Structures are given as structure tokens and as C-alpha cells.
């Protein structure tokens, strides 16, 4: 196997024996084969489109299939094999119906062993450096991994009835280009920025989908303790899945707890109206194996990040959508009866344990509603700097950097945060500046869209470009959605990003130099040193 798509990749280079995430070589090979097959389906779709072909359900399938190849999503070879078979069937149907022919090899129906052997021919592998050159290979991986992130966001938006045909067309063309176009360095830099532009549009679509369905987030206190009673834990990102579970558990005497990236769900009016949506249990994804053991109810994984479950709780983990793991019950459709039955059969929490509270719900509407006051405080010198400190959390040493950084930020600064990186400091009491909290949780990773809108609004208010604002970005990355967001920031021309805890393994030296020279992206060092540089900028 060869997998270098996430931050924890072995030795900072690539996983070649088994994924640090727990992914087997067999699953990795099948995922690479699936991506190739989805590219073939995409080309057939594009060839048929001028003849009138348009199938949003097939677009949704492509997004789900790509989503299944992200880090910590699907570990189950049988599920990946099923995606492969459906991809081949759809490709054949389009080609036969519209008399078109994809230039990609056809992936035949075959046994598991045969498919794994076949997959070795289509593995994403360093050998492509010899074909394309190291720098173009690096940029192709940037494009491919960015497309994976886009697929995840598009999947969530599409489930809520929001999509854009032109976005899907560009996605499919870029996926085909990864395999079929060599091009030069300039062409692939351009494509990488196109991925960033596309991701901005998709995050906008997802923002529209979530807010139309569940309202704009409002500032909300979320208990971190527990309440006596039956319990279900929901992790991941999918708000529709959480809504359906809340609806189906009404009046059943079960409290619903969020975990990981689902924490911001408490700020959405249409979700918080359910009184049995109680609080948040646990912290970021990398701690789940020790935290899930002690949760006295079933656990629902709606998206990444799933870690290989321990035997102590494996029988009470349920997966949805693209998520999969061998031996775990997968829910098809929206029927949560098996989860509810499991919750009712388990003890739940035996006593109240209130614990701390944290605030969520500071998405763009909430922040921009007090923009005038924020601007006044800036002009009066009471707010001197904004820091966006967020992104993916992870297990690799060095991530305490973000905790320390937040601790030493001056008292006249406001910290915006999002995604699970906030768990490094989310429960700290940082106080406020004349009623404006110093720590503002904007939401999930896709709510980088909200952060961008806030930054753009401030730049317009002060009549300067975003890069001239007293705003510093301190970004932690882990998986492919973070890659898509980083490409969006580059597309917008945002510079001076501090990135960590390490640089992506798939970036060649020349690509790293290009990012440093053109965008002044730098690797984090020591919190005190980096803070000093930011405040002098």
C-alpha cells in the first residue's frame, strides 16, 4: 500500500505496511481502485451530458463513493467492493444508453481476491513521480485530496436537497484530469486553486442547506456533563442524521449526546428545540477509544472520524452513509430502531453529573449581528487582534502547541475557532471584551465558510484587504477536508498562514517553496515565537 493523505502518515512520508489509522492494505488498494473507477464513471457522465444526460442521484453516488475513501471513514473491504460494483454498473448503463465510451479501463465483476490483485495496477503510488515528475505528482495529490474534502461537504448538502450541477461538472472534470492530463506545473497550480474555488462554493451550498433546514446557529450553552437516563452518543458531522435520530427518539426517555464535530449542532434552532438533546460527551476523535468504552449506550458514527473500535464497545457502534467497519452494524436509510432498542436495553447514566458548560453558535450571522460593536471596539483599541485558531485535531505529539498558543494570546485579542481542533482549549474561560466573548466557536470544519464571511465583512468595514486586517490564521490539519479548506484560502489570496503540526507529506520541496514564496505559509514553531511574529505583522 501507499497512503500519504493524512497528517499522521507513517514517518511523515507514507503508510506502506498498514495505515496508522488502522486501514488495511486491502482496504487501501480497493479505495484507490474505487477512485479510479469513479473517475471512469465521471468521464462517461461528462461525455453523455451534451446528449441530455443529467442524474443528480449519480452525482450524489460519486460524492458518497469519494467520501468513503477519506481517512477514518470506511475500513470495510466488502462495503468498498459494493461501491466498486455499483460504479461499474452505472458506467456501463450510461455508455450503453448514450452511446459514449470512457477511456478508463473497465473494472469487471470479480471476487474479493481478484479485485485486490487488480487494484495493485491502479494504486496511487510513488511510481507516478517517474511518469509525471515529482512536483506535478505532488500537485495532483493536492487536487485529488482536495476533491475528497469537497465530496464530503457536497454529500451533506445534497442529502438536504441542495446541490449545483455546474459544481458537479467541474468536480468530475478535475477528477478525470488527475488521471488523464499531464500538463505543466503552472497548469496544476491553476487546477489546485480551482479546487479551492470549488470548495468555497460547496461550503456555501452546505451552509445554505444547514441553515435552511435547521436555522442559523445562535449562541448556546452546552453541558459537558451527563444526565441520569438512557443515552445515545452521536459523532461525525451530519446534521440531518442527528435530526432524524432526535425525531425518532422523542418521548422515548433517551438523552442524545453529541461527540467530536457534532458539538456545534447544539446551536441550531431546529435541533436545540428537542429537549432530549442534552450535552456533549467526550472530546476530539482521537480520544474515542478510551471515551467510548465508558459511554453506557450505543454510539452512532455519521461520518469521519471513526477509529477501529475496541471489542469492549464494538457491538454498540452503528455506522451510516459512507462510514463502514467490518463487523459493525450499518444502518441503511433513516431507520434508527436498532439504535433505539440498543439504548433501551442498556443502563444509561445512573446519576446527574452536570460538569462544565461551553458556548457554541457563533457562526457568521451571530457574529455579524454584533459587527458594529466589534468595529467600535477595534477603533477604540480595545480589540487589537483576531486569531483564527482551529482545524483538525489529532494524536501526533506537538498539538499542545495550540493550547499553549491560546493561553498566551493577549487579553485584548479575540479568538475564533472551528472544527475539532478547538478541543485543545474549548473549555477554557477566556472572559470577554465588553460583552464580546474572547473565544468564539464558529462551528464545524465546513464553517470555515462563516469564518471567511466574517473576515470579508471586517475587511470591507475597515476598507482594507483581508491580508491587511489584524487577523492571524493558526491552522491545524489532519485530513482531506482540511486540504480543501487550505486550497480555498489560497484561492482567496489569503497569506501568512501558520500551519501545523507538520507539513503534508504529499507536498514536494518545490511546492512547499512555492507556497512559502507566494503565500508566506510557514510551519508552526514555538507559540511564543510565532505569536510575536503575528503581532508584528
Amino acid at each position: 500500500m501507499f497512503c500519504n493523505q493524512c497528517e499522521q502518515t507513517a514517518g511523515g512520508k507514507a503508510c506502506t505496511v498498514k495505515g496508522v489509522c488502522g486501514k488495511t492494505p486491502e482496504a487501501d488498494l480497493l479505495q484507490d481502485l474505487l477512485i479510479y473507477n469513479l473517475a471512469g464513471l465521471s468521464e462517461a457522465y461528462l461525455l453523455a451530458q451534451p446528449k441530455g444526460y443529467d442524474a443528480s442521484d449519480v452525482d450524489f453516488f460519486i460524492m458518497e463513493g469519494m467520501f468513503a475513501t477519506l481517512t477514518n471513514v470506511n475500513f470495510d473491504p466488502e462495503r468498498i467492493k459494493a461501491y466498486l460494483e455499483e460504479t461499474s454498473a452505472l458506467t456501463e448503463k450510461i455508455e450503453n444508453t448514450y452511446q459514449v465510451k470512457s477511456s478508463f479501463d473497465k473494472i469487471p465483476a470479480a471476487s474479493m481476491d481478484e479485485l485486490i490483485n487488480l487494484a495493485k495496477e491502479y494504486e496511487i503510488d510513488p511510481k507516478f513521480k517517474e511518469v509525471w515528475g515529482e512536483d506535478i505528482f505532488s500537485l495532483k495529490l493536492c487536487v485529488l485530496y482536495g476533491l475528497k474534502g469537497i465530496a464530503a461537504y457536497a454529500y451533506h448538502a445534497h442529502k438536504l436537497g441542495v446541490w449545483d450541477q455546474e459544481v458537479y461538472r467541474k468536480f468530475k472534470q478535475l477528477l478525470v484530469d488527475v488521471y488523464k492530463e499531464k500538463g505543466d506545473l503552472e497548469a496544476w497550480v491553476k487546477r489546485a486553486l480551482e479546487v479551492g474555488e470549488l470548495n468555497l462554493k460547496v461550503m456555501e451550498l452546505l451552509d445554505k442547506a444547514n441553515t435552511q433546514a435547521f436555522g442559523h446557529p445562535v449562541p448556546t450553552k452546552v453541558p459537558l456533563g451527563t444526565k441520569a437516563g438512557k443515552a445515545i452518543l452521536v459523532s461525525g458531522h451530519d446534521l440531518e442524521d442527528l435530526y432524524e435520530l432526535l425525531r425518532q427518539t422523542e418521548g422515548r426517555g433517551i438523552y442524545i449526546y453529541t461527540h467530536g464535530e457534532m458539538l456545534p449542532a447544539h446551536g441550531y434552532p431546529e435541533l436545540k428545540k428537542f429537549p432530549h438533546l442534552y450535552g456533549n460527551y467526550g472530546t476530539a476523535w482521537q480520544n474515542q477509544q478510551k471515551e467510548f468504552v465508558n459511554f453506557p449506550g450505543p454510539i452512532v458514527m455519521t461520518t469521519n472520524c471513526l477509529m477501529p473500535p475496541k471489542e469492549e464497545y464494538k457491538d454498540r457502534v452503528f455506522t451510516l452513509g459512507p462510514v463502514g467497519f467490518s463487523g459493525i452494524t450499518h444502518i441503511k436509510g433513516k431507520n434508527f430502531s436498532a439504535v433505539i432498542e440498543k439504548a433501551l436495553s442498556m443502563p444509561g447514566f445512573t446519576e446527574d453529573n452536570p460538569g462544565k458548560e461551553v458556548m457554541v453558535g457563533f457562526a457568521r450571522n451571530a457574529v455579524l449581528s454584533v459587527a458594529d460593536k466589534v468595529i467600535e471596539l477595534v477603533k477604540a483599541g480595545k480589540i487589537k487582534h483576531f486569531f483564527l485558531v482551529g482545524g483538525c485535531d489529532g494524536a501526533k505529539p506537538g498539538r499542545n502547541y495550540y493550547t499553549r498558543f491560546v493561553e498566551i494570546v493577549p487579553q485584548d485579542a479575540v479568538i475564533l475557532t472551528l472544527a475539532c481542533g478547538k478541543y485543545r482549549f474549548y473549555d477554557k474561560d477566556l472572559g470577554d471584551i465588553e460583552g464580546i466573548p474572547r473565544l468564539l466557536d464558529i462551528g464545524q470544519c465546513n464553517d470555515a465558510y462563516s469564518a471567511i464571511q466574517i473576515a470579508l465583512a471586517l475587511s470591507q468595514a475597515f476598507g482594507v484587504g483581508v491580508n491587511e486586517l489584524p487577523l492571524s490564521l493558526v491552522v491545524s490539519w489532519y485530513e482531506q477536508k482540511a486540504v480543501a479548506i487550505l486550497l480555498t484560502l489560497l484561492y482567496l489570496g489569503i497569506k501568512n498562514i501558520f500551519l501545523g503540526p507538520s507539513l503534508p507529506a504529499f507536498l514536494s520541496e518545490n511546492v512547499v517553496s512555492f507556497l512559502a514564496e507566494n503565500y508566506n505559509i510557514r510551519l508552526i514553531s514555538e507559540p511564543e515565537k510565532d505569536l510575536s511574529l503575528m503581532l508584528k505583522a
Side-chain angles (χ1 to χ4, degrees):
M1 69 179 289
F2 174 84
C3 184
N4 66 353
Q5 67 181 1
C6 80
E7 183 267 337
Q8 69 179 6
T9 193
K13 295 181 179 179
C15 295
T16 56
V17 178
K18 183 179 181 180
V20 173
C21 65
K23 181 171 60 174
T24 63
E26 293 76 16
D28 179 67
L29 285 166
L30 290 173
Q31 286 181 356
D32 283 359
L33 183 60
L34 174 58
I35 296 167
Y36 177 87
N37 211 19
L38 288 168
L41 171 58
S42 295
E43 187 178 56
Y45 194 128
L46 291 169
L47 291 170
Q49 214 158 10
K51 299 184 178 185
Y53 182 66
D54 176 29
S56 62
D57 59 330
V58 175
D59 281 315
F60 179 71
F61 173 80
I62 293 172
M63 297 304 113
E64 182 177 341
M66 285 290 286
F67 194 176
T69 70
L70 265 75
T71 304
N72 291 90
V73 176
N74 200 312
F75 299 79
D76 186 354
E78 290 294 341
R79 291 277 310 286
I80 302 167
K81 181 174 181 287
Y83 280 123
L84 274 165
E85 291 169 349
E86 180 67 12
T87 303
S88 294
L90 288 169
T91 303
E92 183 179 5
K93 182 179 179 180
I94 293 170
E95 291 182 335
N96 290 340
T97 303
Y98 290 87
Q99 296 299 295
V100 297
K101 186 172 178 59
S102 164
S103 63
F104 284 75
D105 297 337
K106 298 296 180 288
I107 306 303
S111 69
M112 180 66 77
D113 289 342
E114 290 170 334
L115 278 176
I116 289 170
N117 284 329
L118 178 64
K120 294 174 183 177
E121 299 177 25
Y122 301 92
E123 182 182 13
I124 298 168
D125 188 272
K127 66 188 177 188
F128 290 116
K129 289 182 184 180
E130 301 173 9
V131 179
W132 297 325
E134 183 177 14
D135 297 328
I136 290 177
F137 179 58
S138 174
L139 288 166
K140 278 181 178 254
L141 291 182
C142 287
V143 168
L144 178 59
Y145 298 158
L147 290 175
K148 289 189 179 195
I150 289 174
Y153 296 146
Y155 168 85
H156 292 303
H158 197 129
K159 280 186 66 181
L160 290 168
V162 178
W163 66 85
D164 184 291
Q165 188 183 59
E166 181 61 14
V167 165
Y168 282 150
R169 187 194 67 78
K170 289 180 179 178
F171 181 100
K172 292 191 287 283
Q173 187 60 63
L174 284 164
L175 181 57
V176 170
D177 288 349
V178 168
Y179 289 93
K180 295 298 179 178
E181 293 294 325
K182 182 175 181 180
D184 57 18
L185 200 61
E186 184 179 350
W188 279 100
V189 168
K190 182 180 177 181
R191 283 191 178 94
L193 295 178
E194 285 175 5
V195 171
E197 180 182 15
L198 199 61
N199 184 59
L200 179 62
K201 178 62 177 177
V202 170
M203 288 195 299
E204 181 184 5
L205 294 173
L206 180 52
D207 178 88
K208 177 182 177 181
N210 283 338
T211 54
Q212 281 184 350
F214 309 115
H216 285 277
V218 296
T220 303
K221 289 183 178 180
V222 182
L224 300 183
T226 58
K227 195 169 183 64
K230 306 291 185 180
I232 296 174
L233 186 62
V234 184
S235 190
H237 305 73
D238 200 290
L239 299 183
E240 187 198 32
D241 289 339
L242 175 60
Y243 176 83
E244 282 298 322
L245 179 62
L246 288 166
R247 190 180 63 80
Q248 292 177 37
T249 50
E250 278 190 289
R252 302 299 299 271
I254 303 172
Y255 289 107
I256 307 300
Y257 295 80
T258 55
H259 171 266
E261 281 267 52
M262 201 62 88
L263 169 61
H266 291 269
Y268 286 88
E270 290 301 307
L271 298 175
K272 63 182 294 181
K273 73 179 184 181
F274 291 96
H276 60 300
L277 176 60
Y278 177 67
N280 192 72
Y281 178 91
T283 52
W285 67 271
Q286 74 274 6
N287 300 318
Q288 66 185 254
Q289 289 179 327
K290 61 182 179 182
E291 293 174 346
F292 286 2
V293 169
N294 297 317
F295 188 80
I299 300 147
V300 179
M301 299 298 301
T302 65
T303 62
N304 55 327
C305 291
L306 171 68
M307 295 181 72
K310 291 186 173 182
E311 290 299 324
E312 294 98 310
Y313 62 85
K314 186 176 181 179
D315 66 328
R316 50 192 171 89
V317 177
F318 297 80
T319 59
L320 294 168
V323 191
F325 197 93
S326 300
I328 286 180
T329 302
H330 186 73
I331 298 171
K332 294 182 179 180
K334 301 177 181 180
N335 185 353
F336 286 95
S337 58
V339 178
I340 294 169
E341 289 172 11
K342 175 64 78 171
L344 294 174
S345 72
M346 294 188 66
F349 291 103
T350 57
E351 58 184 25
D352 291 349
N353 179 21
K356 286 186 176 182
E357 289 183 328
V358 295
M359 289 289 291
V360 301
F362 293 101
R364 73 179 195 285
N365 260 34
V367 174
L368 295 180
S369 69
V370 294
D372 290 345
K373 183 173 183 179
V374 171
I375 291 166
E376 286 178 13
L377 291 170
V378 173
K379 290 180 176 178
K382 294 180 179 179
I383 296 178
K384 292 185 178 178
H385 210 92
F386 297 88
F387 295 91
L388 174 62
V389 186
C392 312
D393 204 357
K396 184 181 287 187
R399 287 182 178 268
N400 286 335
Y401 167 97
Y402 300 95
T403 309
R404 177 61 184 155
F405 185 91
V406 167
E407 289 174 342
I408 64 173
V409 162
Q411 292 296 308
D412 55 9
V414 171
I415 299 164
L416 309 174
T417 190
L418 50 76
C420 62
K422 63 174 162 272
Y423 280 107
R424 293 285 168 171
F425 48 81
Y426 78 127
D427 58 349
K428 291 185 177 296
D429 182 4
L430 301 183
D432 65 85
I433 301 175
E434 294 195 8
I436 303 297
R438 291 189 58 239
L439 180 61
L440 301 174
D441 184 353
I442 297 173
Q444 296 181 341
C445 55
N446 50 280
D447 291 311
Y449 177 76
S450 267
I452 289 168
Q453 296 307 308
I454 292 167
L456 291 175
L458 288 173
S459 71
Q460 291 170 7
F462 290 108
V464 299
V466 173
N467 291 316
E468 283 69 55
L469 285 172
L471 169 67
S472 300
L473 279 67
V474 189
V475 180
S476 55
W477 85 282
Y478 172 70
E479 42 92 334
Q480 297 82 68
K481 286 184 278 188
V483 175
I485 292 170
L486 178 61
L487 293 176
T488 294
L489 295 175
L490 300 183
Y491 159 72
L492 291 170
I494 294 175
K495 299 182 179 181
N496 306 314
I497 299 169
F498 284 74
L499 182 66
S502 59
L503 292 175
F506 50 85
L507 296 182
S508 68
E509 288 186 15
N510 286 334
V511 172
V512 170
S513 296
F514 173 85
L515 293 174
E517 291 169 10
N518 291 273
Y519 296 95
N520 199 28
I521 288 182
R522 65 184 77 191
L523 182 64
I524 59 172
S525 58
E526 296 297 324
E528 293 81 4
K529 178 182 176 182
D530 291 346
L531 178 61
S532 177
L533 289 171
M534 293 173 206
L535 293 175
K536 288 177 182 177

